[in-house]
Coordinates of all heavy atoms in Angstrom, one line a residue:
M1 N -17.3 -5.0 -11.9 CA -16.6 -4.1 -11.0 C -15.5 -3.4 -11.8 O -14.9 -4.0 -12.7 CB -16.0 -4.9 -9.8 CG -15.1 -3.9 -9.0 SD -14.3 -4.8 -7.7 CE -13.7 -3.4 -6.8
Q2 N -15.3 -2.2 -11.5 CA -14.3 -1.4 -12.2 C -13.6 -0.5 -11.1 O -14.2 -0.1 -10.2 CB -14.9 -0.5 -13.2 CG -13.9 0.3 -14.0 CD -14.6 0.9 -15.2 OE1 -15.2 0.3 -16.0 NE2 -14.4 2.3 -15.3
A3 N -12.2 -0.4 -11.2 CA -11.4 0.4 -10.3 C -10.3 0.9 -11.0 O -9.7 0.4 -11.9 CB -11.0 -0.5 -9.1
E4 N -9.8 2.1 -10.6 CA -8.7 2.8 -11.1 C -7.5 2.6 -10.1 O -7.7 2.5 -8.9 CB -8.9 4.3 -11.3 CG -9.9 4.6 -12.4 CD -10.1 6.1 -12.6 OE1 -9.7 6.9 -11.7 OE2 -10.7 6.5 -13.5
W5 N -6.3 2.6 -10.7 CA -5.1 2.5 -9.9 C -4.0 3.2 -10.7 O -3.7 3.0 -11.8 CB -4.7 1.1 -9.7 CG -3.5 0.9 -8.9 CD1 -3.2 1.4 -7.6 CD2 -2.3 0.2 -9.2 NE1 -2.0 0.9 -7.1 CE2 -1.4 0.2 -8.1 CE3 -1.9 -0.5 -10.4 CZ2 -0.1 -0.4 -8.2 CZ3 -0.6 -1.1 -10.4 CH2 0.2 -1.1 -9.3
Q6 N -3.4 4.3 -10.0 CA -2.3 4.9 -10.6 C -1.0 4.2 -10.1 O -0.8 4.1 -8.9 CB -2.2 6.4 -10.2 CG -1.1 7.1 -11.0 CD -1.1 8.6 -10.9 OE1 -1.9 9.1 -10.1 NE2 -0.4 9.3 -11.7
V7 N -0.2 3.8 -11.0 CA 1.0 3.0 -10.7 C 2.0 4.0 -9.9 O 2.3 5.0 -10.5 CB 1.7 2.5 -11.9 CG1 3.0 1.8 -11.5 CG2 0.8 1.6 -12.7
P8 N 2.3 3.7 -8.7 CA 3.2 4.5 -8.0 C 4.6 4.6 -8.7 O 5.2 3.6 -9.0 CB 3.4 3.9 -6.6 CG 2.3 3.0 -6.5 CD 1.9 2.5 -7.9
A9 N 5.0 5.9 -8.9 CA 6.3 6.0 -9.6 C 7.5 5.5 -8.9 O 8.5 5.1 -9.5 CB 6.6 7.5 -9.9
D10 N 7.3 5.3 -7.5 CA 8.4 4.7 -6.7 C 8.1 3.3 -6.3 O 8.7 2.8 -5.3 CB 8.6 5.6 -5.5 CG 7.4 5.6 -4.6 OD1 6.3 5.2 -5.0 OD2 7.5 6.1 -3.5
H11 N 7.3 2.6 -7.1 CA 7.0 1.2 -6.8 C 8.2 0.4 -6.7 O 9.2 0.5 -7.5 CB 6.1 0.6 -7.8 CG 5.4 -0.7 -7.4 ND1 6.2 -1.9 -7.4 CD2 4.2 -1.0 -7.0 CE1 5.4 -2.9 -7.0 NE2 4.1 -2.4 -6.7
P12 N 8.4 -0.5 -5.7 CA 9.7 -1.2 -5.5 C 10.1 -2.2 -6.7 O 11.2 -2.5 -6.8 CB 9.5 -2.0 -4.2 CG 8.1 -1.8 -3.7 CD 7.5 -0.7 -4.6
A13 N 9.1 -2.6 -7.4 CA 9.3 -3.5 -8.6 C 10.2 -2.8 -9.6 O 10.9 -3.5 -10.4 CB 8.1 -4.0 -9.2
F14 N 10.2 -1.5 -9.7 CA 10.9 -0.8 -10.7 C 12.5 -0.9 -10.5 O 13.2 -0.7 -11.5 CB 10.5 0.7 -10.8 CG 9.1 0.9 -11.3 CD1 8.2 1.7 -10.6 CD2 8.6 0.2 -12.4 CE1 6.9 1.9 -11.1 CE2 7.4 0.4 -12.9 CZ 6.5 1.2 -12.2
A15 N 12.9 -1.2 -9.3 CA 14.3 -1.3 -9.0 C 15.0 -2.2 -9.9 O 16.2 -2.0 -10.3 CB 14.5 -1.6 -7.5
G16 N 14.4 -3.3 -10.3 CA 15.1 -4.3 -11.1 C 14.4 -4.6 -12.4 O 14.8 -5.6 -13.1
H17 N 13.4 -3.9 -12.7 CA 12.5 -4.3 -13.9 C 12.2 -3.1 -14.7 O 11.1 -2.5 -14.7 CB 11.2 -4.9 -13.3 CG 10.6 -5.9 -14.2 ND1 9.6 -5.5 -15.1 CD2 10.8 -7.1 -14.4 CE1 9.2 -6.5 -15.8 NE2 9.9 -7.6 -15.4
F18 N 12.9 -2.5 -15.5 CA 14.3 -2.8 -15.9 C 15.1 -1.5 -15.8 O 14.5 -0.4 -16.0 CB 14.3 -3.2 -17.4 CG 13.7 -4.6 -17.6 CD1 12.4 -4.7 -18.1 CD2 14.4 -5.8 -17.3 CE1 11.8 -5.9 -18.3 CE2 13.8 -7.0 -17.6 CZ 12.5 -7.1 -18.0
P19 N 16.3 -1.6 -15.3 CA 17.1 -0.3 -15.1 C 17.2 0.4 -16.5 O 17.4 -0.1 -17.5 CB 18.5 -0.9 -14.8 CG 18.2 -2.2 -14.2 CD 17.0 -2.7 -14.9
G20 N 16.9 1.8 -16.4 CA 16.9 2.6 -17.5 C 15.6 2.7 -18.3 O 15.3 3.6 -19.0
R21 N 14.7 1.7 -18.2 CA 13.4 1.7 -18.8 C 12.5 0.9 -17.9 O 12.1 -0.2 -18.2 CB 13.4 1.1 -20.2 CG 12.1 1.3 -20.8 CD 12.1 1.0 -22.3 NE 10.8 1.2 -22.9 CZ 10.0 0.3 -23.3 NH1 10.3 -1.0 -23.2 NH2 8.8 0.6 -23.8
P22 N 12.0 1.5 -16.8 CA 11.2 0.8 -15.9 C 9.8 0.5 -16.5 O 9.2 1.3 -17.1 CB 11.1 1.6 -14.7 CG 11.4 3.0 -15.2 CD 12.3 2.8 -16.4
I23 N 9.4 -0.8 -16.3 CA 8.0 -1.2 -16.6 C 7.5 -2.0 -15.4 O 8.2 -2.7 -14.7 CB 7.9 -2.0 -17.9 CG1 8.7 -3.3 -17.9 CG2 8.4 -1.2 -19.1 CD1 8.5 -4.2 -19.0
V24 N 6.1 -2.0 -15.3 CA 5.5 -2.8 -14.3 C 5.5 -4.3 -14.7 O 5.1 -4.7 -15.7 CB 4.0 -2.3 -14.1 CG1 3.3 -3.2 -13.1 CG2 3.9 -0.9 -13.8
P25 N 6.0 -5.1 -13.7 CA 6.0 -6.6 -14.0 C 4.6 -7.1 -14.1 O 3.7 -6.6 -13.4 CB 6.7 -7.2 -12.8 CG 7.5 -6.1 -12.2 CD 6.7 -4.8 -12.5
G26 N 4.3 -8.0 -15.0 CA 3.0 -8.6 -15.1 C 2.4 -9.2 -13.8 O 1.3 -9.1 -13.5
V27 N 3.3 -9.7 -13.0 CA 2.9 -10.3 -11.7 C 2.3 -9.2 -10.8 O 1.3 -9.4 -10.0 CB 4.0 -11.0 -11.0 CG1 5.1 -10.1 -10.5 CG2 3.5 -11.9 -9.9
V28 N 2.7 -8.0 -10.9 CA 2.1 -6.8 -10.1 C 0.7 -6.5 -10.6 O -0.2 -6.4 -9.8 CB 3.0 -5.6 -10.2 CG1 2.4 -4.4 -9.5 CG2 4.4 -5.9 -9.5
L29 N 0.5 -6.6 -11.9 CA -0.8 -6.4 -12.4 C -1.7 -7.5 -12.0 O -2.9 -7.3 -11.7 CB -0.8 -6.2 -14.0 CG 0.1 -5.1 -14.5 CD1 0.1 -5.1 -16.0 CD2 -0.5 -3.7 -14.0
L30 N -1.3 -8.7 -12.1 CA -2.1 -9.9 -11.8 C -2.4 -9.9 -10.3 O -3.6 -10.2 -9.9 CB -1.4 -11.2 -12.1 CG -1.3 -11.4 -13.6 CD1 -0.5 -12.7 -13.9 CD2 -2.6 -11.5 -14.3
D31 N -1.5 -9.5 -9.4 CA -1.7 -9.4 -8.0 C -2.9 -8.4 -7.7 O -3.8 -8.6 -6.9 CB -0.5 -9.0 -7.3 CG -0.7 -8.9 -5.8 OD1 -1.0 -10.0 -5.2 OD2 -0.5 -7.8 -5.2
R32 N -2.9 -7.3 -8.4 CA -3.9 -6.3 -8.3 C -5.3 -6.8 -8.7 O -6.3 -6.6 -8.0 CB -3.6 -5.0 -9.1 CG -4.4 -3.9 -8.8 CD -3.9 -3.2 -7.6 NE -4.7 -2.1 -7.3 CZ -4.7 -1.4 -6.1 NH1 -3.8 -1.7 -5.2 NH2 -5.5 -0.3 -5.9
V33 N -5.3 -7.6 -9.8 CA -6.6 -8.2 -10.3 C -7.1 -9.2 -9.3 O -8.3 -9.3 -9.0 CB -6.4 -8.9 -11.7 CG1 -7.5 -9.8 -12.0 CG2 -6.1 -7.9 -12.7
L34 N -6.2 -10.1 -8.7 CA -6.6 -11.1 -7.7 C -7.1 -10.4 -6.5 O -8.1 -10.9 -5.9 CB -5.4 -12.0 -7.5 CG -5.1 -13.0 -8.6 CD1 -3.7 -13.6 -8.3 CD2 -6.2 -14.0 -8.8
W35 N -6.5 -9.3 -6.1 CA -6.9 -8.6 -4.9 C -8.3 -8.0 -5.1 O -9.2 -8.1 -4.3 CB -5.9 -7.5 -4.6 CG -6.4 -6.6 -3.5 CD1 -6.2 -6.8 -2.1 CD2 -7.0 -5.3 -3.6 NE1 -6.8 -5.7 -1.4 CE2 -7.3 -4.8 -2.3 CE3 -7.5 -4.5 -4.7 CZ2 -7.9 -3.6 -2.1 CZ3 -8.1 -3.3 -4.4 CH2 -8.3 -2.9 -3.1
M36 N -8.6 -7.5 -6.3 CA -9.9 -6.9 -6.6 C -10.9 -8.0 -6.6 O -12.0 -7.8 -6.1 CB -9.9 -6.2 -8.0 CG -9.2 -4.9 -8.0 SD -9.2 -4.2 -9.7 CE -11.0 -4.2 -10.1
A37 N -10.6 -9.2 -7.2 CA -11.6 -10.3 -7.3 C -12.0 -10.7 -5.8 O -13.1 -11.0 -5.6 CB -11.0 -11.4 -8.1
G38 N -11.0 -10.8 -5.0 CA -11.2 -11.2 -3.6 C -12.1 -10.2 -2.9 O -13.0 -10.6 -2.1
R39 N -11.8 -9.0 -3.1 CA -12.6 -7.9 -2.4 C -14.0 -7.9 -3.0 O -14.9 -7.7 -2.2 CB -11.9 -6.6 -2.7 CG -12.5 -5.4 -2.0 CD -11.6 -4.2 -2.2 NE -12.3 -3.1 -1.5 CZ -12.1 -1.9 -1.9 NH1 -11.3 -1.5 -2.8 NH2 -12.8 -0.9 -1.3
E40 N -14.2 -8.0 -4.2 CA -15.5 -7.9 -4.9 C -16.3 -9.1 -4.5 O -17.5 -9.0 -4.3 CB -15.3 -7.9 -6.4 CG -16.6 -8.0 -7.2 CD -17.5 -6.8 -7.1 OE1 -17.1 -5.7 -6.6 OE2 -18.7 -6.9 -7.5
R41 N -15.8 -10.3 -4.5 CA -16.5 -11.6 -4.3 C -16.4 -12.2 -2.8 O -17.0 -13.2 -2.6 CB -16.1 -12.6 -5.3 CG -16.3 -12.2 -6.7 CD -17.8 -12.0 -6.9 NE -18.1 -11.3 -8.2 CZ -18.4 -11.9 -9.3 NH1 -18.5 -13.2 -9.4 NH2 -18.6 -11.2 -10.4
G42 N -15.6 -11.5 -2.0 CA -15.4 -12.1 -0.7 C -14.8 -13.4 -0.6 O -15.0 -14.2 0.3
F43 N -14.1 -13.8 -1.6 CA -13.4 -15.1 -1.7 C -12.0 -14.9 -2.2 O -11.8 -14.2 -3.2 CB -14.3 -15.9 -2.7 CG -13.6 -17.3 -3.0 CD1 -13.7 -18.3 -2.1 CD2 -13.0 -17.5 -4.3 CE1 -13.1 -19.5 -2.4 CE2 -12.5 -18.7 -4.5 CZ -12.5 -19.8 -3.6
T44 N -11.0 -15.5 -1.5 CA -9.7 -15.2 -1.9 C -9.0 -16.3 -2.7 O -7.9 -16.3 -3.1 CB -8.8 -15.0 -0.6 OG1 -8.9 -16.1 0.2 CG2 -9.2 -13.7 0.1
G45 N -9.7 -17.4 -3.1 CA -9.2 -18.5 -3.7 C -9.2 -18.5 -5.3 O -9.6 -19.4 -5.9
W46 N -9.0 -17.3 -5.8 CA -9.0 -17.2 -7.3 C -7.6 -17.6 -7.8 O -6.5 -17.3 -7.2 CB -9.3 -15.8 -7.7 CG -10.7 -15.3 -7.4 CD1 -11.1 -14.6 -6.4 CD2 -11.8 -15.7 -8.1 NE1 -12.4 -14.4 -6.4 CE2 -12.9 -15.1 -7.5 CE3 -12.1 -16.4 -9.3 CZ2 -14.3 -15.2 -7.9 CZ3 -13.4 -16.5 -9.7 CH2 -14.5 -16.0 -9.0
T47 N -7.6 -18.2 -9.0 CA -6.3 -18.4 -9.7 C -6.4 -17.8 -11.1 O -7.5 -17.7 -11.6 CB -6.0 -20.0 -9.8 OG1 -7.0 -20.6 -10.5 CG2 -5.9 -20.6 -8.4
V48 N -5.2 -17.6 -11.6 CA -5.2 -17.0 -13.0 C -5.2 -18.2 -14.0 O -4.3 -19.0 -14.0 CB -3.9 -16.2 -13.2 CG1 -3.8 -15.7 -14.6 CG2 -3.9 -15.1 -12.2
A49 N -6.3 -18.3 -14.7 CA -6.4 -19.4 -15.7 C -5.8 -19.0 -17.0 O -5.3 -19.9 -17.8 CB -7.9 -19.7 -15.9
Q50 N -5.8 -17.7 -17.3 CA -5.3 -17.2 -18.6 C -4.9 -15.8 -18.4 O -5.7 -15.0 -17.8 CB -6.4 -17.4 -19.7 CG -6.0 -16.9 -21.0 CD -7.2 -17.0 -22.0 OE1 -8.2 -17.6 -21.7 NE2 -7.0 -16.4 -23.1
A51 N -3.8 -15.3 -19.0 CA -3.5 -13.9 -19.0 C -2.7 -13.6 -20.3 O -1.9 -14.4 -20.7 CB -2.6 -13.6 -17.8
K52 N -2.9 -12.4 -20.8 CA -2.3 -12.0 -22.0 C -1.9 -10.5 -21.8 O -2.8 -9.7 -21.5 CB -3.2 -12.1 -23.2 CG -2.5 -11.8 -24.6 CD -3.4 -12.1 -25.7 CE -2.7 -12.3 -27.0 NZ -3.5 -12.7 -28.1
F53 N -0.6 -10.2 -21.9 CA -0.1 -8.9 -21.8 C 0.1 -8.2 -23.1 O 0.8 -8.8 -23.9 CB 1.1 -8.9 -20.9 CG 0.9 -9.4 -19.5 CD1 1.2 -10.8 -19.3 CD2 0.4 -8.7 -18.5 CE1 1.0 -11.3 -18.1 CE2 0.1 -9.2 -17.3 CZ 0.4 -10.6 -17.0
L54 N -0.5 -7.1 -23.4 CA -0.5 -6.5 -24.7 C 0.3 -5.3 -24.9 O 0.7 -5.0 -26.0 CB -2.0 -6.1 -25.0 CG -3.0 -7.3 -25.0 CD1 -4.4 -6.9 -25.0 CD2 -2.7 -8.3 -26.1
R55 N 0.7 -4.7 -23.8 CA 1.6 -3.5 -23.8 C 2.2 -3.3 -22.5 O 1.6 -3.5 -21.5 CB 1.0 -2.3 -24.5 CG 0.2 -1.4 -23.5 CD 0.3 0.0 -24.0 NE -0.4 1.0 -23.3 CZ 0.2 1.7 -22.3 NH1 1.3 1.4 -21.7 NH2 -0.6 2.7 -21.7
P56 N 3.4 -2.7 -22.4 CA 4.1 -2.4 -21.1 C 3.4 -1.2 -20.4 O 2.8 -0.4 -21.1 CB 5.5 -2.1 -21.5 CG 5.6 -2.1 -23.0 CD 4.4 -2.5 -23.6
V57 N 3.5 -1.3 -19.1 CA 3.0 -0.2 -18.3 C 4.2 0.5 -17.6 O 5.0 -0.1 -17.0 CB 2.0 -0.7 -17.2 CG1 1.5 0.4 -16.3 CG2 0.8 -1.4 -17.9
A58 N 4.2 1.9 -17.7 CA 5.3 2.7 -17.2 C 4.9 3.3 -15.8 O 3.7 3.3 -15.4 CB 5.6 3.8 -18.2
P59 N 5.9 3.7 -15.1 CA 5.6 4.4 -13.8 C 4.6 5.6 -14.0 O 4.6 6.3 -15.0 CB 7.0 5.0 -13.4 CG 8.0 4.1 -14.1 CD 7.3 3.7 -15.4
A60 N 3.7 5.7 -12.9 CA 2.8 6.8 -12.9 C 1.6 6.8 -13.9 O 0.8 7.6 -13.9 CB 3.5 8.2 -13.0
E61 N 1.5 5.7 -14.7 CA 0.3 5.6 -15.6 C -0.9 5.3 -14.8 O -0.9 4.5 -13.8 CB 0.6 4.5 -16.6 CG 1.6 5.0 -17.7 CD 1.6 4.1 -18.9 OE1 2.0 2.9 -18.8 OE2 1.1 4.6 -20.0
M62 N -2.1 5.8 -15.2 CA -3.3 5.5 -14.6 C -4.0 4.3 -15.3 O -4.1 4.4 -16.6 CB -4.3 6.8 -14.7 CG -5.6 6.5 -14.2 SD -5.6 6.2 -12.4 CE -5.3 7.8 -11.7
L63 N -4.3 3.3 -14.6 CA -4.9 2.1 -15.2 C -6.3 1.9 -14.7 O -6.7 2.3 -13.5 CB -4.1 0.9 -14.7 CG -2.6 0.9 -15.1 CD1 -1.9 -0.4 -14.5 CD2 -2.5 0.9 -16.6
V64 N -7.1 1.3 -15.5 CA -8.5 1.0 -15.2 C -8.6 -0.5 -15.3 O -8.3 -1.1 -16.3 CB -9.6 1.7 -16.1 CG1 -10.9 1.2 -15.7 CG2 -9.5 3.2 -16.0
F65 N -9.0 -1.2 -14.1 CA -9.2 -2.6 -14.0 C -10.7 -2.9 -14.1 O -11.5 -2.2 -13.4 CB -8.6 -3.1 -12.7 CG -7.1 -3.1 -12.6 CD1 -6.5 -1.8 -12.4 CD2 -6.4 -4.2 -12.7 CE1 -5.1 -1.8 -12.3 CE2 -5.0 -4.1 -12.6 CZ -4.4 -2.9 -12.4
R66 N -11.1 -3.9 -14.8 CA -12.5 -4.3 -15.0 C -12.6 -5.7 -14.8 O -11.9 -6.5 -15.5 CB -13.0 -3.8 -16.3 CG -14.5 -4.0 -16.4 CD -15.0 -3.3 -17.7 NE -16.3 -3.8 -17.9 CZ -16.7 -4.3 -19.1 NH1 -15.9 -4.3 -20.2 NH2 -17.9 -4.8 -19.3
L67 N -13.6 -6.2 -14.0 CA -13.9 -7.6 -13.8 C -15.3 -7.9 -14.4 O -16.2 -7.1 -14.2 CB -13.9 -8.0 -12.4 CG -12.6 -7.9 -11.6 CD1 -12.9 -8.2 -10.1 CD2 -11.5 -8.7 -12.1
M68 N -15.4 -9.0 -15.2 CA -16.7 -9.3 -15.8 C -17.0 -10.8 -15.5 O -16.1 -11.6 -15.7 CB -16.6 -9.1 -17.3 CG -16.4 -7.7 -17.8 SD -14.7 -7.3 -18.3 CE -13.8 -8.7 -18.8
D69 N -18.3 -11.1 -15.2 CA -18.6 -12.5 -15.1 C -18.6 -13.2 -16.5 O -18.9 -12.6 -17.5 CB -20.1 -12.6 -14.5 CG -20.2 -12.2 -13.1 OD1 -19.3 -12.6 -12.3 OD2 -21.0 -11.4 -12.8
T70 N -18.2 -14.5 -16.4 CA -18.3 -15.3 -17.7 C -19.4 -16.3 -17.6 O -19.8 -16.6 -16.4 CB -16.9 -16.0 -18.0 OG1 -16.7 -17.0 -16.9 CG2 -15.7 -15.0 -17.9
P71 N -19.8 -16.9 -18.7 CA -20.9 -17.8 -18.6 C -20.6 -19.1 -17.7 O -21.5 -19.7 -17.3 CB -21.1 -18.2 -20.1 CG -20.6 -17.1 -20.9 CD -19.5 -16.5 -20.0
R72 N -19.3 -19.4 -17.6 CA -19.0 -20.6 -16.8 C -18.6 -20.4 -15.4 O -18.0 -21.2 -14.7 CB -17.8 -21.3 -17.5 CG -18.2 -21.8 -18.9 CD -17.1 -22.6 -19.5 NE -17.5 -23.1 -20.8 CZ -16.8 -23.9 -21.6 NH1 -15.6 -24.3 -21.1 NH2 -17.2 -24.3 -22.7
G73 N -19.0 -19.2 -14.9 CA -18.7 -18.9 -13.5 C -17.4 -18.3 -13.1 O -17.0 -18.2 -12.0
A74 N -16.5 -18.1 -14.1 CA -15.2 -17.5 -13.9 C -15.4 -16.0 -14.0 O -16.5 -15.5 -14.2 CB -14.3 -18.0 -15.0
L75 N -14.2 -15.3 -13.8 CA -14.2 -13.9 -14.0 C -13.2 -13.5 -15.1 O -12.1 -13.9 -15.0 CB -13.7 -13.2 -12.7 CG -14.7 -13.0 -11.5 CD1 -14.0 -12.5 -10.3 CD2 -15.8 -12.2 -11.9
G76 N -13.7 -12.8 -16.0 CA -12.9 -12.2 -17.1 C -12.3 -10.9 -16.5 O -12.9 -10.2 -15.6
F77 N -11.1 -10.5 -17.0 CA -10.6 -9.2 -16.6 C -10.0 -8.5 -17.8 O -9.5 -9.1 -18.7 CB -9.7 -9.3 -15.4 CG -8.3 -9.9 -15.7 CD1 -7.3 -9.2 -16.2 CD2 -8.1 -11.3 -15.4 CE1 -6.0 -9.7 -16.5 CE2 -6.9 -11.9 -15.7 CZ -5.9 -11.1 -16.2
E78 N -10.0 -7.2 -17.7 CA -9.2 -6.4 -18.6 C -8.6 -5.2 -17.9 O -9.2 -4.7 -16.9 CB -10.1 -5.9 -19.8 CG -11.1 -4.9 -19.5 CD -11.9 -4.5 -20.8 OE1 -12.0 -5.3 -21.7 OE2 -12.4 -3.4 -20.7
I79 N -7.5 -4.8 -18.3 CA -6.7 -3.7 -17.8 C -6.5 -2.7 -18.9 O -6.0 -3.1 -20.0 CB -5.4 -4.1 -17.1 CG1 -5.6 -5.2 -16.1 CG2 -4.7 -2.8 -16.5 CD1 -4.4 -5.8 -15.6
R80 N -6.9 -1.4 -18.7 CA -6.7 -0.4 -19.8 C -5.9 0.8 -19.2 O -6.0 1.1 -18.0 CB -8.1 0.1 -20.3 CG -8.9 -0.9 -21.0 CD -10.1 -0.3 -21.6 NE -10.8 -1.3 -22.5 CZ -10.5 -1.4 -23.8 NH1 -9.6 -0.7 -24.3 NH2 -11.1 -2.4 -24.5
C81 N -5.3 1.4 -20.1 CA -4.6 2.7 -19.9 C -5.1 3.6 -20.9 O -4.8 3.5 -22.1 CB -3.1 2.5 -20.0 SG -2.2 4.1 -19.6
G82 N -6.1 4.5 -20.5 CA -6.8 5.3 -21.5 C -7.6 4.4 -22.4 O -8.3 3.5 -21.9
D83 N -7.5 4.6 -23.7 CA -8.2 3.7 -24.6 C -7.5 2.4 -25.0 O -7.9 1.6 -25.8 CB -8.5 4.5 -25.9 CG -9.5 5.6 -25.7 OD1 -10.3 5.5 -24.7 OD2 -9.5 6.6 -26.5
E84 N -6.2 2.3 -24.5 CA -5.4 1.1 -24.9 C -5.6 0.0 -23.9 O -5.6 0.1 -22.7 CB -3.9 1.5 -24.9 CG -3.5 2.5 -26.0 CD -2.0 2.7 -26.0 OE1 -1.6 3.6 -25.2 OE2 -1.3 2.0 -26.6
L85 N -5.7 -1.2 -24.5 CA -5.8 -2.4 -23.7 C -4.4 -2.9 -23.3 O -3.5 -3.0 -24.2 CB -6.5 -3.5 -24.6 CG -7.1 -4.7 -23.8 CD1 -8.1 -4.3 -22.8 CD2 -7.8 -5.6 -24.8
V86 N -4.2 -3.0 -22.0 CA -2.9 -3.4 -21.5 C -2.8 -4.9 -21.3 O -1.8 -5.6 -21.6 CB -2.7 -2.7 -20.1 CG1 -1.5 -3.3 -19.4 CG2 -2.5 -1.2 -20.4
A87 N -3.9 -5.5 -20.7 CA -3.9 -6.9 -20.4 C -5.3 -7.5 -20.3 O -6.2 -6.7 -20.0 CB -3.2 -7.3 -19.1
T88 N -5.5 -8.7 -20.7 CA -6.7 -9.4 -20.5 C -6.5 -10.8 -19.9 O -5.4 -11.3 -19.9 CB -7.5 -9.6 -21.9 OG1 -6.6 -10.5 -22.7 CG2 -7.7 -8.3 -22.6
G89 N -7.6 -11.4 -19.4 CA -7.4 -12.8 -18.9 C -8.7 -13.3 -18.2 O -9.7 -12.6 -18.3
V90 N -8.5 -14.4 -17.6 CA -9.6 -15.1 -16.9 C -9.1 -15.6 -15.6 O -8.0 -16.2 -15.5 CB -10.1 -16.3 -17.7 CG1 -11.2 -17.0 -17.0 CG2 -10.6 -15.8 -19.1
L91 N -9.9 -15.4 -14.5 CA -9.7 -16.0 -13.2 C -10.7 -17.0 -13.0 O -11.8 -16.9 -13.4 CB -9.9 -14.9 -12.1 CG -9.0 -13.6 -12.3 CD1 -9.4 -12.7 -11.1 CD2 -7.5 -13.9 -12.3
Q92 N -10.3 -18.1 -12.3 CA -11.3 -19.1 -11.9 C -11.1 -19.4 -10.4 O -10.0 -19.2 -9.9 CB -11.1 -20.4 -12.7 CG -9.8 -21.0 -12.6 CD -9.7 -22.2 -13.6 OE1 -10.3 -22.2 -14.7 NE2 -8.8 -23.1 -13.3
Q93 N -12.1 -20.0 -9.8 CA -12.1 -20.3 -8.4 C -11.2 -21.6 -8.3 O -11.3 -22.5 -9.0 CB -13.4 -20.6 -7.8 CG -14.2 -19.3 -7.6 CD -15.6 -19.5 -7.0 OE1 -15.9 -20.7 -6.7 NE2 -16.2 -18.5 -6.7
E94 N -10.4 -21.5 -7.3 CA -9.5 -22.7 -7.0 C -10.3 -23.8 -6.5 O -11.2 -23.7 -5.6 CB -8.5 -22.2 -5.8 CG -7.3 -23.0 -5.8 CD -6.3 -22.3 -4.8 OE1 -6.7 -21.5 -3.9 OE2 -5.1 -22.6 -4.9
V95 N -10.1 -25.0 -7.0 CA -10.8 -26.2 -6.6 C -10.0 -26.9 -5.5 O -8.8 -27.1 -5.6 CB -11.0 -27.2 -7.8 CG1 -11.7 -28.5 -7.4 CG2 -11.7 -26.5 -8.9
R96 N -10.7 -27.2 -4.4 CA -10.1 -27.8 -3.3 C -10.6 -29.2 -3.0 O -11.6 -29.6 -3.3 CB -10.2 -27.0 -2.0 CG -9.5 -25.7 -2.2 CD -9.6 -24.9 -0.9 NE -9.1 -23.6 -1.2 CZ -8.4 -22.9 -0.4 NH1 -8.2 -23.3 0.8 NH2 -7.9 -21.7 -0.7

């Protein structure tokens, strides 16, 4: 699955992250990835097993989120801005 999201320039997270040089907090990006995984798979019990942030994201940037199946039943993800990789990671189903 792949989806685009333009970061709203007035996103509330920018108020304190960081004054004078706003960037999207990593938790906002992970929340979007988890939302996509739940929507795609009809299951909301995903957890972040691994995440790596490679560059900051500024207000109004257009991001492309991509989910990929892994051999062990997890979901890999990547977030790109144009040709640049912003973040990568792995989601796994929560064990209950």
Side-chain angles (χ1 to χ4, degrees):
M1 171 183 194
Q2 183 170 304
E4 292 183 347
W5 181 57
Q6 184 167 14
V7 179
D10 62 349
H11 194 285
F14 293 133
H17 206 267
F18 294 98
R21 185 168 185 253
I23 62 170
V24 178
V27 69
V28 171
L29 299 175
L30 293 176
D31 183 62
R32 192 80 182 169
V33 168
L34 290 167
W35 175 82
M36 283 179 57
R39 187 173 174 206
E40 172 72 11
R41 298 298 166 98
F43 175 73
T44 57
W46 293 100
T47 60
V48 179
Q50 177 185 352
K52 187 173 197 176
F53 300 95
L54 304 166
R55 83 149 180 86
V57 176
E61 286 195 292
M62 179 62 76
L63 302 176
V64 176
F65 291 75
R66 185 171 165 232
L67 299 175
M68 298 103 22
D69 290 312
T70 69
R72 295 186 178 183
L75 280 177
F77 71 85
E78 67 178 29
I79 305 169
R80 292 186 172 273
C81 182
D83 291 335
E84 291 184 272
L85 199 53
V86 169
T88 63
V90 176
L91 305 178
Q92 62 187 25
Q93 289 185 355
E94 202 170 22
V95 178
R96 295 181 185 217

